[in-house]
């Protein structure tokens, strides 16, 4: 697989423009919002470079699964330096090709999406059952997803799951309710 001018699809913390800019110039002009079929996005990869606590040690991972899909950003034609920075950043993952016919642009970007070859995506990091998202990582992913619009954010919540099978939307909503539940007892400092 030639590394020169190869595209990638990103789907987790790299949805945050600031993180993309660390290795990619002019990201806003190059990234296109897309849906990719044939993969399932799951919080089941063990975080290696993030602070974790108890079972809250999961980051996002992709697994091939015919009936599933996820949304992300397609970034076409990375130069060799950008490609190497991406591969280095995603240490611990395998890299799989995404058939161009599995990529569907969001309607408002359909005319501008450039899928000139089969891009790669980070997949199949070692998975663990029974772990939950690292809170700071989840917050960062949600921030990134919301940056790309409300439809993209909703799709992110709906196309992502935890190892328990629970949707990310359900998890996020229950976490928010737990923090702001009326009548919950909170210990006040004396």
């Amino acid at each position: 697989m030639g590394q020169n001018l190869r595209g990638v699809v990103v789907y987790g913390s790299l949805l945050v423009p600031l993180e993309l800019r660390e290795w990619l110039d002019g990201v806003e002009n190059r990234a296109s919002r897309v849906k990719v079929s044939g993969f399932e996005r799951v919080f089941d990869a063990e975080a290696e470079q993030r602070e974790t606590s108890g079972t809250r040690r999961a980051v996002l991972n992709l697994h091939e699964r015919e009936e599933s899909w996820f949304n992300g950003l397609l970034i076409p034609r990375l130069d060799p330096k950008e490609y190497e920075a991406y591969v280095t950043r995603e240490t611990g993952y395998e890299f799989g090709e995404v058939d161009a016919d599995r990529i569907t642009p969001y309607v408002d970007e359909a005319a501008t999406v450039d899928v000139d070859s089969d891009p790669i995506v980070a997949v199949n990091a070692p998975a663990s059952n029974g772990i939950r998202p690292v809170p700071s990582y989840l917050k960062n992913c949600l921030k990134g997803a919301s940056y790309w619009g409300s439809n993209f954010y909703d799709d992110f919540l709906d196309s992502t799951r935890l190892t328990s099978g629970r949707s990310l939307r359900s998890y996020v909503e229950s976490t928010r309710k737990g923090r702001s539940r009326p009548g919950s007892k909170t210990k006040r400092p004396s």
Side-chain angles (χ1 to χ4, degrees):
M1 147 168 87
Q3 294 180 4
N4 204 14
L5 303 178
R6 196 67 192 260
V8 297
V9 177
V10 299
Y11 57 86
S13 60
L14 283 174
L15 296 175
V16 177
L18 184 61
E19 292 207 25
L20 275 174
R21 284 186 206 115
E22 289 179 9
W23 63 273
L24 184 65
D25 292 329
V27 67
E28 286 84 3
N29 299 326
R30 294 170 64 190
S32 298
R33 300 173 312 140
V34 296
K35 295 178 184 178
V36 181
S37 63
F39 294 89
E40 180 177 47
R41 180 172 42 207
V42 184
F43 274 100
D44 71 357
E46 292 272 352
E48 294 181 4
Q49 300 178 15
R50 298 178 186 276
E51 190 173 322
T52 64
S53 174
T55 61
R56 296 174 186 259
R57 56 183 195 270
V59 293
L60 286 169
N61 202 359
L62 279 185
H63 305 284
E64 288 188 52
R65 187 167 178 190
E66 195 60 37
E67 65 277 4
S68 296
W69 64 278
F70 74 97
N71 63 336
L73 300 176
L74 171 66
I75 304 159
R77 295 184 313 278
L78 298 184
D79 67 35
K81 182 180 173 184
E82 292 169 334
Y83 181 88
E84 188 60 38
Y86 172 75
V87 169
T88 299
R89 185 187 190 282
E90 300 299 332
T91 298
Y93 290 87
E94 297 173 8
F95 297 97
E97 287 189 350
V98 178
D99 293 334
D101 63 349
R102 291 182 173 260
I103 299 171
T104 305
Y106 277 72
V107 173
D108 56 336
E109 295 180 12
T112 62
V113 172
D114 182 10
V115 185
D116 56 357
S117 66
D118 296 341
I120 63 164
V121 66
V123 296
N124 298 327
S128 293
N129 284 321
I131 58 176
R132 295 181 295 161
V134 174
S136 60
Y137 175 80
L138 173 58
K139 183 178 180 181
N140 206 27
C141 290
L142 294 173
K143 176 182 173 184
S146 68
Y147 176 86
W148 298 98
S150 60
N151 289 342
F152 189 92
Y153 179 80
D154 285 338
D155 286 344
F156 183 83
L157 291 174
D158 293 335
S159 68
T160 307
R161 72 170 184 82
L162 279 61
T163 61
S164 65
R166 185 178 193 184
S167 74
L168 182 58
R169 178 178 299 281
S170 170
Y171 179 77
V172 167
E173 288 173 356
S174 70
T175 302
R176 288 182 181 152
K177 287 178 187 174
R179 281 192 213 134
S180 61
R181 186 177 28 216
S184 63
K185 295 183 180 180
T186 308
K187 199 171 199 173
R188 296 179 184 240
S190 36

